[in-house]
Amino acid sequence: MEHINVCICAYKRPQLLKRLLEELEDQDTCGVFTYSIVVVDNDRLESGKAVVADFAVQSRVRVRYCVEPRQSIALARNMAVQNAEGDYVAWIDDDEFPAKNWLLTLFKDRERYQVDGVLGVVKRHFDETPPEWIKKSHFYERRINPTGTNVDWLEARTGNVLVRREVFRNGDQLFRPEFRAGEDQDFFRRMIEKGHTFIWSADAVVYEVVPPARWKRKHMLKKALLRGATAQLQPSCGVLSIAKSLIAVPIYAAALPIALVLGHHWFMTLLVKLCDHLGKLLAVVGINPITDQYVTE
């Protein structure tokens, strides 16, 4: 029977990690595969250790706990792969939780299409009622692509994916630490260029918890600046991409007063896009707008 290793990279979100582990325990397998869990704590103070230890004592699902003390999502992902076992590696983030048929749907779609990996749907989830402008906006929403559609690396991510273990045995550096964000896009881009094929599944669903801390405007703008700063590391960031950002920044800035009149959700949408482009331009000239590895506030 084939085996799936579910990989989780955690950082200072023990309560969300606890929920995720509890939901993973009840995955429906229909007896066609087995699965286990690897948790890599990217906090050198081991804030997730107690949660994993408690889960391991009472769960029938085998779980391994590792620590990557160097703060880097890429290094944490690399450690997870090093400690994974079996035929497939599945990824889910520590601020997400899956539907009961999550792994089974990914597994069946992978077999049906005979591809190297399957990416699923991530839907936003609020435990508390957010402000109206958050609900009206498309923040934290992702497009749902039809099942069987080939994945473009620009949309690729590790928040919900099943990948054949063989893909990680190509001898290359898997997740590159120079990427503080978008390390998963970079990984999938390189794997697609090598000839690996990944498709979407519209029915493999996980839910991303969006807590009040992520409703803050400061958080959204810092994330956008970080995205922009790391986007310039991609080979697609050439002269044309930089020129687009040079044009976009003044246009978005000029449109902000109009957007504010139309509604705060429009204003924030434009402001976030402006910071995406601004982060890229600042990085191109050697200015790092966000120095932290993680944006947590």
Side-chain angles (χ1 to χ4, degrees):
M1 192 176 296
E2 293 186 296
H3 185 81
I4 300 172
N5 213 148
V6 180
C7 291
I8 304 165
C9 294
Y11 182 72
K12 294 185 177 181
R13 295 190 280 210
Q15 290 306 311
L16 292 179
L17 177 61
K18 182 176 184 290
R19 174 195 278 186
L20 169 55
L21 291 173
E22 289 172 349
E23 295 293 338
L24 282 174
E25 185 173 19
D26 294 323
Q27 284 293 290
D28 185 5
T29 68
C30 284
V32 296
F33 62 86
T34 58
Y35 70 99
S36 58
I37 302 170
V38 169
V39 176
V40 176
D41 198 339
N42 203 199
D43 178 14
R44 61 182 178 82
L45 300 178
E46 302 183 2
S47 55
K49 185 175 183 178
V51 169
V52 178
D54 289 344
F55 175 80
V57 168
Q58 56 82 34
S59 176
R60 61 181 175 77
V61 180
R62 185 158 41 90
V63 59
R64 177 181 298 181
Y65 177 78
C66 312
V67 178
E68 171 51 80
R70 298 166 293 178
Q71 242 183 52
S72 165
I73 183 59
L75 293 178
R77 294 202 191 284
N78 288 336
M79 177 171 279
V81 172
Q82 291 165 13
N83 286 275
E85 57 188 10
D87 308 281
Y88 301 94
V89 174
W91 293 95
I92 187 168
D93 291 339
D94 66 338
D95 60 348
E96 297 174 340
F97 61 92
K100 190 173 182 179
N101 66 345
W102 170 58
L103 280 178
L104 182 61
T105 304
L106 289 174
F107 183 82
K108 286 186 173 181
D109 284 343
R110 210 254 15 127
E111 284 199 324
R112 175 186 173 191
Y113 289 93
Q114 289 296 299
V115 289
D116 294 299
V118 182
L119 283 76
V121 176
V122 178
K123 296 183 178 181
R124 66 181 185 177
H125 173 86
F126 301 104
D127 285 328
E128 303 174 47
T129 303
E132 196 63 29
W133 68 270
I134 290 281
K135 290 192 285 186
K136 285 183 178 180
S137 74
H138 296 289
F139 290 122
Y140 306 111
E141 286 185 349
R142 295 176 174 88
R143 186 169 67 180
I144 298 177
N145 296 296
T147 299
T149 306
N150 279 359
V151 171
D152 184 298
W153 69 267
L154 287 169
E155 285 191 275
R157 56 183 182 266
T158 46
N160 176 357
V161 63
L162 178 73
V163 180
R164 286 195 315 116
R165 185 74 176 81
E166 290 299 320
V167 174
F168 296 100
R169 294 178 178 142
N170 57 31
D172 290 350
Q173 186 177 37
L174 297 175
F175 296 95
R176 300 197 294 175
E178 58 264 39
F179 284 86
R180 292 179 296 148
E183 79 293 337
D184 41 6
Q185 286 183 321
D186 172 68
F187 168 77
F188 281 106
R189 177 187 60 77
R190 288 182 286 116
M191 295 306 105
I192 290 170
E193 288 176 354
K194 284 179 173 292
H196 294 296
T197 303
F198 306 94
I199 56 111
W200 290 103
S201 172
D203 302 308
V205 179
V206 305
Y207 299 91
E208 179 183 19
V209 180
V210 185
R214 295 174 65 189
W215 308 345
K216 295 179 180 178
R217 299 160 185 82
K218 178 183 176 182
H219 174 88
M220 292 180 174
L221 300 182
K222 288 175 70 175
K223 288 284 284 188
L225 288 169
L226 178 60
R227 277 196 307 270
T230 54
Q232 60 89 26
L233 295 172
Q234 298 285 8
S236 58
C237 184
V239 174
L240 182 59
S241 176
I242 294 169
K244 286 181 178 179
S245 292
L246 285 169
I247 296 170
V249 166
I251 290 177
Y252 284 142
L256 285 176
I258 301 172
L260 187 57
V261 173
L262 294 175
H264 192 66
H265 60 295
W266 285 113
F267 176 80
M268 282 303 300
T269 298
L270 281 187
L271 190 56
V272 166
K273 288 182 178 180
L274 187 153
C275 286
D276 271 309
H277 289 286
L278 185 60
K280 183 196 300 181
L281 295 177
L282 290 172
V284 166
V285 298
I287 299 173
N288 185 0
I290 304 296
T291 57
D292 297 332
Q293 284 287 337
Y294 292 107
V295 175
T296 57
E297 59 179 25

